[in-house]
Amino acid sequence: MKQPLSLSEFDLIGQYFANLTTSREDVLLGIGDDAALLEVPPGQVLVVSVDTLVAGVHFFADVSPESLGHKSLAVNLSDLAAMGAEPAWATLALTLPAVTPSWLEAFAGGFARLAASHGLALVGGDTTRGPLSITVQVHGLVPVGQALQRRGARVGDLIYVTGSLGEAALALKKRLAGLGDALSPALLQRLEKPQPRIEAGLALRGLASSAIDLSDGLLADLGHILTASGVGARIALQQLPLAPAVADWIAESGEWTVALAGGDDYELCFTAAADHREEIQHLSQQMNLAMSCIGQVEAMPGLRAIKADGQPWDATITGFDHFSMPGSGA
Ligand SMILES: [Mg+2]
């Protein structure tokens, strides 16, 4: 049986996380007591989401701790973005094989920089000894009745995605094929340091009829919107926003899965009434973030992806259940 963490190890871990993130007036009591006391402003509802990242299942065990600190928070913030929520607080549960000061410092730094950029306060946590695993719970705020949800897409609504698709999946594919050294920094950044689309989520309140963040790939995640909304859709493959590296890879391989089912994009997919089209174009320019119209909601159930020649793309792969790495047993 492994040794539990000692009191001095707890203190050491506490040092790296204490006062690392923004202080907020709505934190009545933060780290250091049995629990935190948080004040939800009148007229707002609490939006809560949790995610666990496990070494060898969700990330390579040799990923930089700074990137890991960033990503463990980013994937959660992406869920808040999809709800149109403003980040407020987070808790962090860390399971560590060993207490290594340099690792902790880098991890806490990656976490704290992203937290600070979104005004988020770390209000509590827990640490255990064991195989490396990170659980982050985020709490956001949204005015009553204004949260974006998966249900709400209507027949005739246009379907949009922010940013570009497939870079993280392509980076992962190349790493798994042993081509990690040849990865461009931009591609690796998309895999290791996704940027949650918080500002876009906030701006889409009252504009989007439904929204989701792209964690499992466009087909799977748009599928969740369609199922929740009781509708179907048609998307045009040639309208998908692709970075040059992804477009080149698809042109060479003829395989669309990195863009359609790769996962880890952490962009937003949303629907909006067709008469909001100009407003969304304007928003996209204002935010300097692409919001590409990729298709339209239809009454017929199911998701139809149409190729440039007008023929349906044969969707034999419908999603991506994160990734399994050799020897991970996952
Ligand atoms: Mg999500």
Side-chain angles (χ1 to χ4, degrees):
M1 186 146 155
K2 290 194 173 172
Q3 289 281 310
L5 291 171
S6 68
L7 275 179
S8 61
E9 286 175 318
F10 273 120
D11 285 347
L12 189 64
I13 293 165
Q15 272 173 30
Y16 287 107
F17 290 99
N19 305 321
L20 260 180
T21 58
T22 321
S23 62
R24 294 173 58 104
E25 284 187 359
D26 52 15
V27 180
L28 307 181
L29 190 62
I31 295 174
D33 212 301
D34 293 301
L37 297 176
L38 309 167
E39 191 167 38
V40 178
Q44 307 255 335
V45 294
L46 195 56
V47 184
V48 181
S49 181
V50 66
D51 259 299
T52 295
L53 298 181
V54 177
V57 178
H58 300 99
F59 59 90
F60 293 96
D62 65 352
V63 71
S64 90
E66 201 263 338
S67 295
L68 197 54
H70 174 102
K71 189 166 180 178
S72 62
L73 178 57
V75 300
N76 280 279
L77 289 179
S78 181
D79 282 323
L80 290 188
M83 303 299 290
E86 192 181 341
W89 316 300
T91 57
L92 166 68
L94 266 181
T95 303
L96 300 169
V99 176
T100 311
S102 59
W103 191 95
L104 279 167
E105 187 180 2
F107 178 89
F111 187 99
R113 270 184 285 280
L114 182 61
S117 71
H118 291 288
L120 180 107
L122 183 69
V123 296
D126 184 33
T127 38
T128 326
R129 194 190 300 278
L132 181 59
S133 163
I134 301 138
T135 297
V136 177
Q137 183 172 48
V138 286
H139 307 76
L141 298 167
V142 67
V144 175
Q146 289 190 30
L148 305 175
Q149 297 178 53
R150 295 178 182 186
R151 63 171 193 224
R154 299 269 167 89
V155 174
D157 283 357
L158 299 178
I159 302 166
Y160 296 86
V161 291
T162 62
S164 56
L165 304 175
E167 288 144 284
L170 182 58
L172 176 62
K173 212 175 194 31
K174 290 194 171 182
R175 272 211 64 172
L176 288 171
L179 302 170
D181 292 345
L183 279 181
S184 75
L187 215 52
L188 195 62
Q189 185 93 352
R190 284 301 304 260
L191 178 63
E192 295 191 345
K193 287 204 165 172
Q195 296 300 321
R197 301 303 189 189
I198 292 290
E199 291 78 12
L202 295 177
L204 288 168
R205 286 176 185 168
L207 205 51
S209 53
S210 71
I212 193 168
D213 70 312
L214 297 178
S215 53
D216 296 331
L218 177 66
L219 292 185
D221 290 319
L222 176 55
H224 293 316
I225 284 186
L226 302 179
T227 304
S229 303
V231 293
R234 168 182 299 255
I235 58 171
L237 294 187
Q238 81 269 20
Q239 284 171 239
L240 298 184
L242 306 175
V246 174
D248 289 350
W249 196 85
I250 290 173
E252 280 163 29
S253 68
E255 204 194 304
W256 282 85
T257 49
V258 288
L260 291 172
D264 265 356
D265 290 311
Y266 299 106
E267 297 292 349
L268 295 183
C269 175
F270 63 95
T271 60
D275 54 12
H276 287 323
R277 188 169 196 153
E278 275 183 23
E279 211 174 332
I280 287 167
Q281 274 171 1
H282 182 70
L283 184 66
S284 165
Q285 284 163 5
Q286 205 178 28
M287 299 188 67
N288 195 25
L289 173 67
M291 293 184 181
S292 308
C293 179
I294 61 163
Q296 193 160 27
V297 177
E298 297 178 336
M300 194 195 350
L303 175 53
R304 291 158 289 282
I306 309 299
K307 295 188 291 185
D309 62 6
Q311 294 302 305
W313 179 74
D314 184 15
T316 47
I317 296 174
T318 55
F320 188 71
D321 201 9
H322 285 284
F323 63 91
S324 297
M325 293 193 299
S328 72

